[in-house]
Every structure is written in structure tokens, then in C-alpha cells.
Amino acid sequence: MATVTFDGATRTYTGLAHPAVDHLDLEVQDGEFLVLVGPSGCGKSTTLRMLAGLEPVDEGTIRIGDRDVTRVPAKDRDIAMVFQSYALYPHMTVAENIGFHLKVKRMPKAERAERVRDAARILDLEAYLDRKPAKLSGGQRQRVAMGRAIVRQPQVFLMDEPLSNLDAKLRVQTRTQIAALQRRLAVTTVYVTHDQVEAMTMGDRVAVLDNGVLQQVASPKELFTSPVNVFVAGFIGSPSMNLLPAKAGDDGATHGTLTVPLSPEQRAALTSDDVTIGVRPEAWTVRAEGGLDVIVAVVEELGSESFLYCTDPAADAAVVATPVVARAEGLSSSSPGDRVSLVPVPERLHLFDSATGARLPS
């Protein structure tokens, strides 16, 4: 096993206004499951491909363990990659697909068969070793692709959105299996996804990228409770955090009928009088008055909880307003058209400098 270190790693494509990956400094610990997440075009797949040796590094270095692999060919990096597509050979059986790389490396047949059986046992594929890929479900095919990586016994696993071709139910099941498998094998793993729910449920740590720049790397809990800026706050969480533009005044930061206090430290950190108030849906209390006055537009009843999607009268009428979302326990008593007041839980408020996007001190 090994650590993975990006030291100022940069990749620039001709014709782009900014680097696809811009001076990335990131260390993945030995045996860690690190997830790279962000919107399309943020640089996460490019980062993975740089580590795999499929993309050149224009500046900086990449190390696996103590070895600088920046200019090392992909075949010599001791990594195994699982792609978005299963990339299985349709004319080969499951066993032949899993053991193909070992066959190319001229591993003795007996040892190769033993490794294939071990991987199949780990992935619950023993009953399918003689089948062709066409006779497998999507989840089984993905496990075969995983098996092909496992038998190589690499220093690092790389996974590029391996669940994107699966349906919603199978994705949940397979992501649990992958996370459990990684912990069992204890192999350093870098996993790319655009799905923040996937990232939060699988990773030991999550690295959030935007426009090629690393925004924050932290545990899922820390990302959720202490996002460093407005981008991370709005990206992490489902439904996402409510971000309300406010003005700093004598009483605090005000948005519509909602005013939240500002500490002296927060006022000192502001670069203008524009503040962004962040409130997660579960951090609202629905009352008759005393908070942000809104109009319920849609009620999503989910049984154990409900989500109220509300129209915010204080929103800028010149732009398409994002609804304010509040979560209520159990079945909601509210109906579309109701006027309610949303009161934030004070200790769960997030405040940001609108000019810089940075989080204000607590």
C-alpha cells in the first residue's frame, strides 16, 4: 500500500481560459478512501487520469509512496483503474475477464486461477465464473470490473464514476459493497463521482473541486457542518443549503423579515456589507411568525419527513428565485398556498462574506 501526493499538479488544455487542474496540493493517506467530487468540468476526472498516467502533468509532481511517478508510464505505476464503462471482453467468461491482465503478464496458470477464485469469492461472483458478460446484470458486470482490478493487487485503486451506469436502487447497493470492500482490502483508493450523496456516504475524506481548484478536503461530517465557502455549502447536502443574500446593519444581517446577529469577529471579517446566510433545510423550525415569512409552493411527503418548497417574497424579482426549502418531521400540516414563518436554529446557522464567498468565523 502507499500514500498518494499531488504537489502543485497542474494540467492545462489548449484553448481553455484556465487550467483543468490548477496547482493541486493533496495527500491521500495509506489505505484511505478519498472521493473527488464536484460539478461537471471541475477537473476531478482529469486529476484521476493524471494519477493514472493517462494525462500529462504540465506543472508540479505526483508521488505514489516515495516514488515520483510524474513522468512514469501508466503501465509502470502499480495502479488499477475501474472505469465508468465496464469495458469487459464479451467473448470471454467472467473468470477470463478477471484474469486477463495476469495472463498478459504470463503469470503461471495455477497462481492465476487462485487469484481469480479469491477475487470472485470476495465479490460473490463464484457462481458466475463460467458466464459471459451478456448473461450478467449491470451490478454483476461492475463487480467483474472490480475483480479485474483486485487480482492485480495494486498499490492504488482508481475508480472513475463506476456506478453511473446503474439504476438508482442498484447504485445504493453497489456503493455499500464497494465501501465495505475497500475497508476489507485496505488499499489506498481515489474515487471520482459527481454525486455528492455518493461522496458523503463512501469516503473517509472528500475533496471538493470547482473550476480545477481544490475548495476543501475534509471528512463528510466536517464538510456538512463547516463548509469553508459558499460553493462547498451549496454543493454538499441534499436538498442543498438555502443561501440567502443579506445586508449587514446595526442589528445584524437582514434578509426580508429574517435578521440574524453578527458577532464583532464576523463584522471585522467582512469585506463589504453583503452577507450570505446559509441554513440547511433541517435547521429551520416552521412557525406562524418570528422568522423568514414565506409562502408554501410545494409539499413533498416522504412519510418519515416532509419537505416544504417555499416562495421567498424577499428574493430578487429580477432573477428566477430558488425556493427556500425546509424539512419537517413526519407528515406536514402545511399545504400549498399557506403562509408560514421559518425560524433558523441559531447554532446551525452558516454565515459567509458574499464578496469573497469565504465562511465567516463562528
Side-chain angles (χ1 to χ4, degrees):
M1 307 311 132
T3 59
V4 172
T5 305
F6 295 87
D7 187 0
T10 300
R11 176 70 177 117
T12 304
Y13 293 111
T14 303
L16 289 185
H18 57 80
V21 178
D22 193 357
H23 292 88
L24 176 64
D25 292 318
L26 178 64
E27 181 167 316
V28 187
Q29 299 299 320
D30 185 11
E32 182 179 26
F33 194 128
L34 181 99
V35 180
L36 296 174
V37 69
S40 296
C42 71
K44 54 189 184 295
S45 289
T46 301
T47 298
L48 198 73
R49 291 174 63 83
M50 289 165 66
L51 175 55
L54 303 178
E55 290 282 352
V57 179
D58 296 314
E59 294 180 42
T61 59
I62 297 176
R63 296 191 303 278
I64 297 177
D66 295 328
R67 188 167 66 120
D68 186 340
V69 298
T70 310
R71 305 287 179 255
V72 174
K75 64 183 179 63
D76 299 324
R77 294 197 180 194
D78 198 11
I79 58 94
M81 192 161 182
V82 179
F83 294 92
Q84 181 175 345
S85 61
Y86 312 127
L88 303 180
Y89 296 105
H91 63 288
M92 293 184 182
T93 65
V94 167
E96 290 168 338
N97 268 284
I98 292 176
F100 180 73
H101 175 79
L102 305 182
K103 184 178 181 180
V104 170
K105 290 291 186 180
R106 301 185 182 277
M107 178 177 287
K109 188 174 182 180
E111 184 180 352
R112 185 169 77 235
E114 183 179 356
R115 282 209 196 179
V116 169
R117 283 195 301 271
D118 287 344
R121 190 178 306 114
I122 291 171
L123 295 164
D124 196 22
L125 289 171
E126 291 176 284
Y128 308 102
L129 286 175
D130 295 327
R131 291 193 187 182
K132 300 283 183 67
K135 301 293 185 181
L136 302 177
S137 68
Q140 289 165 346
R141 292 179 195 179
Q142 189 60 71
R143 297 211 305 274
V144 175
M146 291 282 297
R148 191 169 50 192
I150 289 171
V151 293
R152 298 177 63 175
Q153 299 179 354
Q155 286 189 298
V156 183
F157 282 143
L158 307 181
M159 301 187 189
D160 190 4
E161 303 200 44
L163 307 184
S164 59
N165 291 329
L166 305 181
D167 61 55
K169 182 177 180 180
L170 196 54
R171 284 181 71 140
V172 174
Q173 176 185 337
T174 308
R175 79 187 185 204
T176 303
Q177 293 172 340
I178 290 177
L181 176 64
Q182 191 277 336
R183 283 159 180 75
R184 177 177 175 181
L185 298 175
V187 178
T188 307
T189 301
V190 182
Y191 184 105
V192 163
T193 181
H194 65 277
D195 185 336
Q196 55 90 20
V197 174
E198 207 169 278
M200 296 288 280
T201 54
M202 296 180 72
D204 297 322
R205 288 191 302 155
V206 179
V208 184
L209 288 92
D210 184 40
N211 287 326
V213 178
L214 180 63
Q215 303 293 312
Q216 185 175 4
V217 55
S219 68
K221 181 179 180 180
E222 184 178 347
L223 281 180
F224 190 82
T225 58
S226 302
V228 297
N229 57 34
V230 168
F231 175 81
V232 176
F235 189 81
I236 297 297
S238 181
S240 60
M241 182 186 291
N242 299 287
L243 297 170
L244 310 174
K247 287 290 184 180
D250 293 338
D251 297 329
T254 301
H255 172 87
T257 57
L258 175 67
T259 298
V260 299
L262 292 172
S263 69
E265 293 79 12
Q266 290 168 337
R267 289 182 183 276
L270 283 172
T271 59
S272 71
D273 62 352
D274 292 319
V275 180
T276 299
I277 301 171
V279 187
R280 295 206 179 274
E282 62 275 10
W284 292 116
T285 301
V286 181
R287 295 181 182 172
E289 59 183 15
L292 177 63
D293 294 337
V294 295
I295 302 170
V296 178
V298 176
V299 180
E300 282 188 351
E301 301 284 9
L302 302 178
S304 60
E305 60 186 5
S306 305
F307 286 99
L308 309 182
Y309 290 80
C310 306
T311 302
D312 179 9
D316 188 348
V319 297
V320 178
T322 302
V324 177
V325 184
R327 191 187 77 178
E329 295 293 335
L331 299 176
S332 174
S333 59
S334 300
S335 302
D338 288 354
R339 293 180 178 272
V340 298
S341 192
L342 304 179
V343 180
V345 178
E347 58 271 21
R348 299 176 71 179
L349 275 172
H350 304 265
L351 296 172
F352 305 91
D353 183 335
S354 298
T356 64
R359 182 185 185 86
L360 296 178
S362 300

